[in-house]
């Protein structure tokens, strides 16, 4: 903990913090010189380390401390505007008292970055572990989109980050043309219907969660969430690619 201004003998507190940070970065460089294959997590997002200098020299960062809050997917989608999803550790914290819908809510949000699992795994029921395995299998099919792609988000929700209402969807198109869609509802008083633009000529080839809420059109999806805290994910591929794969 550098403290307020550090203990360095400098003219100002800001100068002390700057020198401390430069020394820390130099120390990380020295670590990599000795262990070039080391994977370092840039932790302490609450300590404001989600900034270019630290993220440029580390492999991944924990996206937030909000992983057990209902706003978890909202914040996870937010950080697409801050740093690369391949660096963003999305923690899905799972417990044995969660029903299928809420388990899916959390796991589908973990597709917004580098999936990380936590919680009471020693106590999960067999049917819950089956859902976890299904999520990990789906993640293997979309991780190339997270690595190389462009994200666009559709807001149909409030912007109260702590207690969002409504719904959202994030569409990420990979360099190969494949598309991932991750959508969530938040607190709902009434059903929420909204449209999400997608590239034309795509076919749904895989999914995670309940996709009965989705109607696919040529260049958009119509999503109707009837329940609060619902979530799903889709993999879409070009029609020709999907036929060849089949």
């Amino acid at each position: 903990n550098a403290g307020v201004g550090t203990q360095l003998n400098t003219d100002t507190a800001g100068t002390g913090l700057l020198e401390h940070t430069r020394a820390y970065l130099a120390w990380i460089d020295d670590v990599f010189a000795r262990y070039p294959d080391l994977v370092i997590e840039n932790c302490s997002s609450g300590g404001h380390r989600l900034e270019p200098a630290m993220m440029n020299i580390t492999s991944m960062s924990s996206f937030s401390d909000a992983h057990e809050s209902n706003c978890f997917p909202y914040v996870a989608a937010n950080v697409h505007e801050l740093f690369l999803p391949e660096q963003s550790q999305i923690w899905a914290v799972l417990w044995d008292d969660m029903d299928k819908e809420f388990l899916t809510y959390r796991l589908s949000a973990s597709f917004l970055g580098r999936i990380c699992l936590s919680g009471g795994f020693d106590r999960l029921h067999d049917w819950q572990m089956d859902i976890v395995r299904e999520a990990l299998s789906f993640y293997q099919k979309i991780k190339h989109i997270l690595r190389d792609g462009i994200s666009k988000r559709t807001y149909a929700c409030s912007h109260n980050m702590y207690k969002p209402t409504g719904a959202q969807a994030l569409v990420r198109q990979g360099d190969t043309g494949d598309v991932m869609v991750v959508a969530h509802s938040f607190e709902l008083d009434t059903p929420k219907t909204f449209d999400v633009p997608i590239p034309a000529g795509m076919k749904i080839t895989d999914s995670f969660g309940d996709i009965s809420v989705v109607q696919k059109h040529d260049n958009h999806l119509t999503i109707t969430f009837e329940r609060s805290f619902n979530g799903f994910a889709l993999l879409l591929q070009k029609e020709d690619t999907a036929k060849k794969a089949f």
Side-chain angles (χ1 to χ4, degrees):
N1 184 349
V4 180
T6 77
Q7 301 298 316
L8 297 174
N9 183 21
T10 55
D11 294 333
T12 67
T15 303
L17 287 172
L18 179 61
E19 291 185 10
H20 170 84
T21 302
R22 285 173 173 166
Y24 181 77
L25 294 172
W27 177 76
I28 293 288
D29 285 339
D30 185 59
V31 170
F32 277 125
R34 299 171 187 229
Y35 308 101
D37 296 326
L38 191 66
V39 174
I40 294 181
E41 175 190 355
N42 174 36
C43 198
S44 186
S45 58
H48 305 292
R49 284 188 175 173
L50 294 183
E51 52 80 37
M54 283 302 303
M55 291 187 292
N56 189 50
I57 62 172
T58 54
S59 300
M60 48 191 174
S61 300
S62 191
F63 84 107
S64 171
D65 290 333
H67 40 258
E68 289 209 75
S69 302
N70 290 337
C71 60
F72 163 47
Y74 187 98
V75 180
N78 263 1
V79 296
H80 276 240
E81 301 177 7
L82 179 63
F83 62 106
L84 298 172
E86 70 177 80
Q87 288 183 285
S88 180
Q89 293 177 277
I90 309 294
W91 288 94
V93 183
L94 311 176
W95 301 104
D96 59 339
D97 60 351
M98 292 180 176
D99 61 21
K100 179 179 179 180
E101 286 71 25
F102 200 69
L103 203 70
T104 302
Y105 179 79
R106 286 201 170 171
L107 282 167
S108 55
S110 66
F111 302 142
L112 292 167
R114 198 162 179 160
I115 188 170
C116 299
L117 302 175
S118 184
F121 268 75
D122 58 324
R123 300 190 295 277
L124 292 185
H125 304 292
D126 289 344
W127 66 267
Q128 292 174 315
M129 285 302 303
D130 287 341
I131 296 174
V132 173
R133 294 187 185 96
E134 182 185 348
L136 292 174
S137 176
F138 181 82
Y139 180 78
Q140 293 300 317
K141 299 172 185 177
I142 55 91
K143 64 182 182 181
H144 65 288
I145 304 174
L146 291 168
R147 184 183 62 241
D148 302 301
I150 297 175
S151 301
K152 293 184 179 179
R153 189 173 177 190
T154 298
Y155 294 94
C157 58
S158 67
H159 295 284
N160 180 334
M161 191 178 297
Y162 181 59
K163 291 184 177 181
T165 59
Q168 72 173 20
L170 184 137
V171 177
R172 185 168 176 85
Q173 184 167 12
D175 288 356
T176 63
D178 293 350
V179 172
M180 175 191 72
V181 179
V182 179
H184 288 86
S185 64
F186 304 114
E187 188 71 44
L188 297 179
D189 293 328
T190 59
K192 184 69 175 181
T193 299
F194 63 113
D195 290 335
V196 179
I198 59 171
M202 307 296 291
K203 180 179 181 180
I204 298 174
T205 57
D206 211 332
S207 63
F208 175 78
D210 179 12
I211 63 169
S212 65
V213 299
V214 182
Q215 287 184 310
K216 182 188 173 297
H217 308 281
D218 183 52
N219 62 355
H220 71 279
L221 305 173
T222 299
I223 301 173
T224 301
F225 282 119
E226 296 186 353
R227 301 190 309 273
S228 300
F229 309 118
N230 191 6
F232 68 86
L234 301 175
L235 170 62
L236 298 98
Q237 296 175 298
K238 295 177 182 177
E239 291 279 2
D240 293 342
T241 304
K243 289 177 183 177
K244 290 177 182 178
F246 180 78

